Amino acid sequence: MSILDIDNTKIAVIGLGYVGLPLAVEFGTQWNTVGFDIDQSRVNELQDGYDKTGEIDCNQFAASKFIKYTSAEADIKNANVYIVTVPTPINESNLPELSAIKSASHLISSMLHEGDIVIYESTVYPGLTEEICIPILERSNLLLNKNFYCGYSPERINPGDQSHRLKDITKIVSGSNDFALDLIDSLYTSIIEAGTYRAPSIKVAEAAKVIENTQRDLNIALVNELAIIFNNLKIDTNEVLDAADTKWNFMKYLPGLVGGHCIGVDPYYLTYKSEQAGYIPKIILAGRKLNNDIPGYVAKKLLEHLNAKTIQHDQANVLILGFTFKENCPDIRNTKVIDLYSELQKLHINAEIFDPHASYTEASQEYNISLIQDVKSNYYDAVILAVPHDYFVDKSYDFILSLCKQKHVFFDLKGAFDSTISDFRL
């Protein structure tokens, strides 16, 4: 089979979340594509041309003329290119949780044919594709590089980022042999305007992906630690960063809560594999711990500021604005706002959370928490702007002020407003 033979190529994208849907929609503009997801409600909304994640708009749905959305396994049995984009989270012990990628591999194994290609995009640790996924695929009684081919092309989607879309980001590609690499490269080249980078091996491609977010995690951990230091020294962290940023080689990162499906997860995949190889990482795990400790640090700071203004903390009405893991995005996966909420509860500070972007149903199902659907005027003793959605910032500080009692505390964690306005920011 030639990948460039449009008439005889059928692509099945398995997993239609933030990664899989944009990929399936883009392939569907040119190629015979099936978007598969086990969540029938997700499939139903996509069939109606609606994407709750906000990544795909009506024009993109309309342009994807050769796609079918389904939850029926029979609809992908005749595919000859399988692309796996299922979640790879961590469990409560911060260990890789691989049930979804194993399940997808078993599904493909049950329908694999001679000459088929399987491409993994889910973030994994170096070696996982060859050590776990390919042996599952070979249970089909087909052999790698003899009867079927495999590759890894890591996702680089940034949820909510309209400036860096799928087509605009260089795509790393790798294959189980040179023939597979050529086919996979030609496939992605057909949709990626930014071009591709041919990694020398699957392991290199896996490692490149996992260190991208590990590097970001460590850089944010550094500025979070700097923020703690500068807060103790009564220096504005953002002013320091602005000054340092005037040097050409300074990399400006901002302090904040570090959550989401990548930055707060991927370092654990790398450290898990490293420990298996006999080395316990020091800097990576220290950065993870520091970032995980930030919600507790913020909670203690709120207690200090409430006490300083003689506001009884266990009787205070506290409002947290924002629940998603980042601004202007509905994604609540691994949000650290829930950790902030829990830390406040430990200090006997009751809080409620409002977020116009977050799904109330998903918040209840995933975190057993009820988000409020509206805010109250002149009611709150403290307001924490945890996620600076445009919805909040565009309303200006007057909106924040209208929610507060005359004596109140305002935390602007990411410095969305002028520093003179807030009592505390990271």
Side-chain angles (χ1 to χ4, degrees):
M1 178 199 67
S2 170
I3 285 293
L4 297 179
D5 184 357
I6 290 181
D7 292 335
N8 295 316
T9 299
K10 184 177 182 180
I11 301 170
V13 177
I14 299 175
L16 297 175
Y18 284 87
V19 175
L21 179 62
L23 188 69
V25 167
E26 198 58 48
F27 275 125
T29 63
Q30 304 179 44
W31 304 88
N32 185 4
T33 304
V34 179
F36 174 85
D37 201 288
I38 60 174
D39 184 350
Q40 184 60 53
S41 63
R42 175 66 166 163
V43 171
N44 291 342
E45 71 179 31
L46 297 178
Q47 289 173 340
D48 292 335
Y50 169 69
D51 172 28
K52 66 182 179 182
T53 70
E55 295 297 307
I56 301 299
D57 60 31
C58 59
N59 293 327
Q60 291 170 294
F61 276 115
S64 190
K65 299 178 180 179
F66 307 108
I67 192 168
K68 174 181 180 179
Y69 303 104
T70 185
S71 61
E73 296 178 5
D75 290 334
I76 61 173
K77 280 190 174 181
N78 294 323
N80 41 33
V81 178
Y82 294 93
I83 303 178
V84 178
T85 62
V86 297
T88 45
I90 53 176
N91 62 22
E92 293 181 355
S93 301
N94 294 327
L95 298 174
E97 207 293 285
L98 304 175
S99 60
I101 199 168
K102 288 180 178 179
S103 178
S105 299
H106 281 292
L107 174 61
I108 296 170
S109 177
S110 71
M111 54 186 67
L112 204 59
H113 299 96
E114 187 86 20
D116 287 356
I117 300 174
V118 185
I119 306 167
Y120 291 89
E121 288 214 3
S122 305
T123 301
V124 296
Y125 54 74
L128 187 144
T129 301
E130 293 162 305
E131 295 166 9
I132 292 181
C133 298
I134 289 175
I136 294 175
L137 296 176
E138 287 186 325
R139 294 181 187 181
S140 61
N141 294 321
L142 300 177
L143 297 178
L144 179 69
N145 294 335
K146 180 178 180 180
N147 308 113
F148 74 95
Y149 304 93
C150 192
Y152 182 77
S153 181
E155 60 87 6
R156 283 173 155 177
I157 294 292
N158 186 23
D161 186 344
Q162 300 301 315
S163 300
H164 301 91
R165 312 298 292 169
L166 173 67
K167 296 192 298 182
D168 309 319
I169 305 171
T170 300
K171 200 81 166 74
I172 295 175
V173 294
S174 63
S176 53
N177 63 12
D178 290 341
F179 177 73
L181 178 56
D182 287 342
L183 294 177
I184 293 168
D185 187 33
S186 65
L187 178 65
Y188 282 108
T189 298
S190 71
I191 64 166
I192 304 296
E193 295 178 358
T196 60
Y197 176 85
R198 294 163 64 104
S201 69
I202 289 176
K203 282 185 179 179
V204 167
E206 292 169 327
K209 166 57 183 176
V210 81
I211 70 165
E212 290 174 8
N213 288 317
T214 299
Q215 183 186 67
R216 286 184 56 79
D217 190 43
L218 285 172
N219 279 318
I220 298 171
L222 172 61
V223 295
N224 274 336
E225 186 162 61
L226 293 175
I228 294 172
I229 293 171
F230 293 142
N231 279 324
N232 289 341
L233 297 176
K234 310 301 182 185
I235 302 173
D236 187 291
T237 303
N238 284 270
E239 291 178 355
V240 174
L241 295 174
D242 287 342
D245 194 39
T246 59
K247 188 179 181 185
W248 75 92
N249 62 351
F250 182 80
M251 295 186 295
K252 186 177 180 180
Y253 285 81
L254 299 177
L257 304 176
V258 184
H261 63 105
C262 286
I263 298 179
V265 172
D266 294 358
Y268 289 121
Y269 271 74
L270 182 57
T271 56
Y272 169 80
K273 189 62 177 177
S274 176
E275 289 176 7
Q276 282 191 332
Y279 177 74
I280 299 176
K282 299 177 178 62
I283 295 175
I284 297 173
L285 289 174
R288 277 280 72 237
K289 183 180 186 307
L290 195 146
N291 283 338
N292 283 338
D293 287 346
I294 291 298
Y297 172 72
V298 173
K300 290 177 181 177
K301 281 294 178 182
L302 181 65
L303 179 62
E304 291 176 10
H305 281 267
L306 289 172
N307 289 338
K309 293 193 176 184
T310 64
I311 299 173
Q312 191 69 31
H313 71 274
D314 57 356
Q315 297 179 16
N317 299 315
V318 177
L319 174 65
I320 301 175
L321 293 176
F323 187 67
T324 62
F325 90 90
K326 64 182 293 187
E327 55 268 26
N328 307 319
C329 173
D331 195 348
I332 64 171
R333 290 176 295 174
N334 195 33
T335 174
K336 290 305 171 183
V337 178
I338 191 65
D339 292 4
L340 172 58
Y341 177 83
S342 298
E343 292 293 336
L344 292 175
Q345 287 188 315
K346 292 178 184 178
L347 296 174
H348 306 289
I349 301 174
N350 293 315
E352 52 189 29
I353 306 173
F354 173 68
D355 191 323
H357 287 285
S359 165
Y360 303 109
T361 301
E362 289 182 10
S364 177
Q365 292 174 343
E366 294 295 322
Y367 299 102
N368 193 30
I369 189 171
S370 297
L371 306 183
I372 63 172
Q373 300 192 27
D374 203 0
V375 291
K376 309 174 187 71
S377 298
N378 304 312
Y379 180 76
Y380 300 101
D381 299 281
V383 172
I384 303 174
L385 180 57
V387 187
H389 296 308
D390 288 347
Y391 177 92
F392 301 134
V393 178
D394 290 347
K395 287 178 177 292
S396 79
Y397 178 62
D398 290 338
F399 166 70
I400 305 290
L401 198 61
S402 71
L403 307 177
C404 301
K405 296 177 181 177
Q406 185 173 5
K407 184 169 66 174
H408 65 271
V409 172
F410 174 47
F411 275 23
D412 180 11
L413 295 190
K414 296 191 72 173
F417 297 104
D418 187 273
S419 61
T420 60
I421 293 174
S422 61
D423 293 285
F424 173 82
R425 63 181 187 178
L426 287 169

